[in-house]
Amino acid sequence: MAPIGYRLRTQEQAVDTDATQFKLATRVVDEHLVGLGGSEVKVLIALARLANNPTRTCCVTHPTLARMTGMSRWTVMKAVDYLEERGLLTRERRQSGFGREANRYTLLEQADASVAL
C-alpha cells in the first residue's frame, strides 16, 4: 500500500527523474554533514528539494520551511543562519513595497560530482 498522499504509478506513466530527485554536492556531504545538527540537515535537505537544479536557487519563506521540516519558525531561522555562516548557502533578503517576500537561497556547491539523496 502506498503512503498517504502518494499515488501508485503505472508502468505506462513516465517519470521525469530530474523532477523527482534533488542533489547536494559530495563536498557538502563529506565535509559538513558531521558538523551539522538535525535541524540544519533538515533545512538543507528542504532547500535542496526546492532548489532549481541548474541554478541551485529557490525562493521560500521561513513558515514554509517550518512546515516542510516539522520545526518551529525560530528553529528554521537559526538553522539558516548557521548554514549561511558555514558557507553552505547564501541568502538574499527580499522586500517589496507591501512587506517581506520569500528569501532567495542559493546552495553553494563547489564540487562537480553530486550525490542524489
Side-chain angles (χ1 to χ4, degrees):
M1 174 170 265
I4 296 173
Y6 289 86
R7 289 187 307 130
L8 293 176
R9 297 178 194 263
T10 64
Q11 289 183 341
E12 294 82 31
Q13 291 176 312
V15 176
D16 179 5
T17 56
D18 287 339
T20 60
Q21 294 182 6
F22 57 95
K23 298 181 180 191
L24 288 173
T26 301
R27 179 194 66 80
V28 171
V29 174
D30 291 347
E31 296 178 14
H32 297 282
L33 195 58
V34 172
L36 298 178
S39 59
E40 290 89 7
V41 171
K42 282 182 164 185
V43 169
L44 188 60
I45 289 172
L47 290 170
R49 172 67 180 91
L50 295 171
N52 178 301
N53 279 336
T55 64
R56 296 183 310 273
T57 62
C58 64
C59 295
V60 62
T61 64
H62 290 137
T64 298
L65 286 172
R67 281 191 303 276
M68 288 179 71
T69 59
M71 300 185 304
S72 72
R73 188 171 161 260
W74 176 254
T75 302
V76 166
M77 290 168 45
K78 298 298 278 181
V80 167
D81 288 343
Y82 187 76
L83 292 169
E84 189 174 31
E85 288 170 9
R86 294 282 302 261
L88 297 175
L89 60 84
T90 60
R91 167 181 40 189
E92 176 190 338
R93 290 182 171 96
R94 300 180 335 144
Q95 192 165 328
S96 70
F98 301 106
R100 292 190 52 88
E101 291 184 14
N103 291 330
R104 182 187 319 265
Y105 298 96
T106 302
L107 299 176
L108 302 179
E109 297 188 56
Q110 297 175 6
D112 290 333
S114 296
V115 48
L117 295 180

